[in-house]
PDB file of all heavy atoms in Angstrom:
ATOM      1  N   GLN A 124      16.081  97.081  18.207  1.00 84.00           N
ATOM      2  CA  GLN A 124      15.126  97.864  17.455  1.00 84.00           C
ATOM      3  C   GLN A 124      14.346  98.814  18.375  1.00 84.00           C
ATOM      4  O   GLN A 124      14.048  99.988  17.961  1.00 84.00           O
ATOM      5  CB  GLN A 124      14.145  96.944  16.737  1.00 84.00           C
ATOM      6  CG  GLN A 124      14.772  95.994  15.723  1.00 84.00           C
ATOM      7  CD  GLN A 124      15.291  96.696  14.483  1.00 84.00           C
ATOM      8  OE1 GLN A 124      16.044  97.664  14.586  1.00 84.00           O
ATOM      9  NE2 GLN A 124      14.886  96.252  13.324  1.00 84.00           N
ATOM     10  N   ILE A 125      14.038  98.394  19.592  1.00 89.00           N
ATOM     11  CA  ILE A 125      13.323  99.268  20.521  1.00 89.00           C
ATOM     12  C   ILE A 125      14.211 100.461  20.879  1.00 89.00           C
ATOM     13  O   ILE A 125      13.752 101.632  20.997  1.00 89.00           O
ATOM     14  CB  ILE A 125      12.949  98.480  21.772  1.00 89.00           C
ATOM     15  CG1 ILE A 125      11.873  97.432  21.439  1.00 89.00           C
ATOM     16  CG2 ILE A 125      12.449  99.411  22.860  1.00 89.00           C
ATOM     17  CD1 ILE A 125      10.562  98.058  20.958  1.00 89.00           C
ATOM     18  N   THR A 126      15.546 100.214  21.049  1.00 88.00           N
ATOM     19  CA  THR A 126      16.447 101.328  21.319  1.00 88.00           C
ATOM     20  C   THR A 126      16.454 102.345  20.195  1.00 88.00           C
ATOM     21  O   THR A 126      16.459 103.554  20.442  1.00 88.00           O
ATOM     22  CB  THR A 126      17.874 100.746  21.546  1.00 88.00           C
ATOM     23  OG1 THR A 126      17.844  99.829  22.637  1.00 88.00           O
ATOM     24  CG2 THR A 126      18.838 101.870  21.859  1.00 88.00           C
ATOM     25  N   ARG A 127      16.487 101.849  18.976  1.00 87.00           N
ATOM     26  CA  ARG A 127      16.448 102.805  17.841  1.00 87.00           C
ATOM     27  C   ARG A 127      15.145 103.595  17.806  1.00 87.00           C
ATOM     28  O   ARG A 127      15.177 104.793  17.520  1.00 87.00           O
ATOM     29  CB  ARG A 127      16.644 102.008  16.537  1.00 87.00           C
ATOM     30  CG  ARG A 127      18.019 101.354  16.392  1.00 87.00           C
ATOM     31  CD  ARG A 127      18.176 100.731  15.029  1.00 87.00           C
ATOM     32  NE  ARG A 127      19.495 100.072  14.891  1.00 87.00           N
ATOM     33  CZ  ARG A 127      19.656  98.767  14.980  1.00 87.00           C
ATOM     34  NH1 ARG A 127      18.601  97.963  15.187  1.00 87.00           N
ATOM     35  NH2 ARG A 127      20.851  98.230  14.869  1.00 87.00           N
ATOM     36  N   LEU A 128      14.038 102.916  18.095  1.00 86.00           N
ATOM     37  CA  LEU A 128      12.774 103.627  18.144  1.00 86.00           C
ATOM     38  C   LEU A 128      12.751 104.662  19.264  1.00 86.00           C
ATOM     39  O   LEU A 128      12.209 105.775  19.104  1.00 86.00           O
ATOM     40  CB  LEU A 128      11.615 102.643  18.367  1.00 86.00           C
ATOM     41  CG  LEU A 128      11.012 101.990  17.103  1.00 86.00           C
ATOM     42  CD1 LEU A 128       9.955 101.002  17.504  1.00 86.00           C
ATOM     43  CD2 LEU A 128      10.435 103.070  16.172  1.00 86.00           C
ATOM     44  N   ASP A 129      13.374 104.312  20.395  1.00 87.00           N
ATOM     45  CA  ASP A 129      13.463 105.274  21.517  1.00 87.00           C
ATOM     46  C   ASP A 129      14.230 106.520  21.111  1.00 87.00           C
ATOM     47  O   ASP A 129      13.990 107.619  21.636  1.00 87.00           O
ATOM     48  CB  ASP A 129      14.133 104.632  22.715  1.00 87.00           C
ATOM     49  CG  ASP A 129      13.235 103.558  23.357  1.00 87.00           C
ATOM     50  OD1 ASP A 129      11.990 103.615  23.120  1.00 87.00           O
ATOM     51  OD2 ASP A 129      13.738 102.687  24.094  1.00 87.00           O
ATOM     52  N   ARG A 130      15.166 106.375  20.189  1.00 87.00           N
ATOM     53  CA  ARG A 130      15.913 107.534  19.693  1.00 87.00           C
ATOM     54  C   ARG A 130      15.189 108.281  18.595  1.00 87.00           C
ATOM     55  O   ARG A 130      15.435 109.462  18.363  1.00 87.00           O
ATOM     56  CB  ARG A 130      17.304 107.084  19.241  1.00 87.00           C
ATOM     57  CG  ARG A 130      18.176 106.550  20.393  1.00 87.00           C
ATOM     58  CD  ARG A 130      19.476 106.010  19.848  1.00 87.00           C
ATOM     59  NE  ARG A 130      20.319 105.531  20.990  1.00 87.00           N
ATOM     60  CZ  ARG A 130      21.493 104.903  20.846  1.00 87.00           C
ATOM     61  NH1 ARG A 130      21.965 104.708  19.601  1.00 87.00           N
ATOM     62  NH2 ARG A 130      22.179 104.479  21.901  1.00 87.00           N
ATOM     63  N   ILE A 131      14.391 107.543  17.876  1.00 86.00           N
ATOM     64  CA  ILE A 131      13.631 108.186  16.767  1.00 86.00           C
ATOM     65  C   ILE A 131      12.523 109.063  17.317  1.00 86.00           C
ATOM     66  O   ILE A 131      12.272 110.174  16.828  1.00 86.00           O
ATOM     67  CB  ILE A 131      13.092 107.110  15.810  1.00 86.00           C
ATOM     68  CG1 ILE A 131      14.215 106.488  14.995  1.00 86.00           C
ATOM     69  CG2 ILE A 131      12.013 107.672  14.898  1.00 86.00           C
ATOM     70  CD1 ILE A 131      13.761 105.340  14.116  1.00 86.00           C
ATOM     71  N   GLU A 132      11.815 108.581  18.321  1.00 85.00           N
ATOM     72  CA  GLU A 132      10.614 109.268  18.774  1.00 85.00           C
ATOM     73  C   GLU A 132      10.869 110.695  19.285  1.00 85.00           C
ATOM     74  O   GLU A 132      10.174 111.621  18.889  1.00 85.00           O
ATOM     75  CB  GLU A 132       9.931 108.429  19.854  1.00 85.00           C
ATOM     76  CG  GLU A 132       9.100 107.298  19.293  1.00 85.00           C
ATOM     77  CD  GLU A 132       8.179 106.644  20.296  1.00 85.00           C
ATOM     78  OE1 GLU A 132       8.707 106.098  21.306  1.00 85.00           O
ATOM     79  OE2 GLU A 132       6.984 106.676  20.094  1.00 85.00           O
ATOM     80  N   PRO A 133      11.907 110.954  20.132  1.00 88.00           N
ATOM     81  CA  PRO A 133      12.109 112.363  20.572  1.00 88.00           C
ATOM     82  C   PRO A 133      12.503 113.246  19.374  1.00 88.00           C
ATOM     83  O   PRO A 133      12.115 114.425  19.326  1.00 88.00           O
ATOM     84  CB  PRO A 133      13.249 112.244  21.602  1.00 88.00           C
ATOM     85  CG  PRO A 133      13.866 110.917  21.344  1.00 88.00           C
ATOM     86  CD  PRO A 133      12.793 110.041  20.848  1.00 88.00           C
ATOM     87  N   ARG A 134      13.225 112.699  18.422  1.00 85.00           N
ATOM     88  CA  ARG A 134      13.575 113.513  17.248  1.00 85.00           C
ATOM     89  C   ARG A 134      12.313 113.844  16.439  1.00 85.00           C
ATOM     90  O   ARG A 134      12.151 114.935  15.870  1.00 85.00           O
ATOM     91  CB  ARG A 134      14.577 112.755  16.378  1.00 85.00           C
ATOM     92  CG  ARG A 134      15.965 112.751  16.966  1.00 85.00           C
ATOM     93  CD  ARG A 134      16.929 111.847  16.157  1.00 85.00           C
ATOM     94  NE  ARG A 134      18.337 112.042  16.569  1.00 85.00           N
ATOM     95  CZ  ARG A 134      18.866 111.512  17.624  1.00 85.00           C
ATOM     96  NH1 ARG A 134      18.117 110.734  18.414  1.00 85.00           N
ATOM     97  NH2 ARG A 134      20.120 111.726  17.933  1.00 85.00           N
ATOM     98  N   PHE A 135      11.425 112.853  16.362  1.00 83.00           N
ATOM     99  CA  PHE A 135      10.180 113.098  15.648  1.00 83.00           C
ATOM    100  C   PHE A 135       9.341 114.138  16.390  1.00 83.00           C
ATOM    101  O   PHE A 135       8.719 115.003  15.733  1.00 83.00           O
ATOM    102  CB  PHE A 135       9.393 111.780  15.522  1.00 83.00           C
ATOM    103  CG  PHE A 135       7.971 111.986  15.065  1.00 83.00           C
ATOM    104  CD1 PHE A 135       7.711 112.422  13.758  1.00 83.00           C
ATOM    105  CD2 PHE A 135       6.904 111.820  15.915  1.00 83.00           C
ATOM    106  CE1 PHE A 135       6.406 112.646  13.345  1.00 83.00           C
ATOM    107  CE2 PHE A 135       5.614 112.016  15.515  1.00 83.00           C
ATOM    108  CZ  PHE A 135       5.371 112.450  14.231  1.00 83.00           C
ATOM    109  N   VAL A 136       9.339 114.109  17.714  1.00 86.00           N
ATOM    110  CA  VAL A 136       8.581 115.125  18.441  1.00 86.00           C
ATOM    111  C   VAL A 136       9.129 116.511  18.163  1.00 86.00           C
ATOM    112  O   VAL A 136       8.347 117.496  17.930  1.00 86.00           O
ATOM    113  CB  VAL A 136       8.636 114.788  19.954  1.00 86.00           C
ATOM    114  CG1 VAL A 136       8.047 115.934  20.779  1.00 86.00           C
ATOM    115  CG2 VAL A 136       7.904 113.492  20.264  1.00 86.00           C
ATOM    116  N   GLN A 137      10.457 116.651  18.156  1.00 85.00           N
ATOM    117  CA  GLN A 137      11.063 117.946  17.843  1.00 85.00           C
ATOM    118  C   GLN A 137      10.728 118.355  16.400  1.00 85.00           C
ATOM    119  O   GLN A 137      10.389 119.515  16.126  1.00 85.00           O
ATOM    120  CB  GLN A 137      12.577 117.892  18.030  1.00 85.00           C
ATOM    121  CG  GLN A 137      12.998 117.599  19.478  1.00 85.00           C
ATOM    122  CD  GLN A 137      14.518 117.474  19.602  1.00 85.00           C
ATOM    123  OE1 GLN A 137      15.264 118.209  18.923  1.00 85.00           O
ATOM    124  NE2 GLN A 137      14.971 116.589  20.441  1.00 85.00           N
TER     125      GLN A 137
END
Side-chain angles (χ1 to χ4, degrees):
Q124 299 289 53
I125 292 297
T126 300
R127 294 186 181 102
L128 273 178
D129 290 339
R130 294 176 179 175
I131 288 174
E132 280 192 299
R134 286 174 169 79
F135 167 69
V136 171
Q137 298 177 37

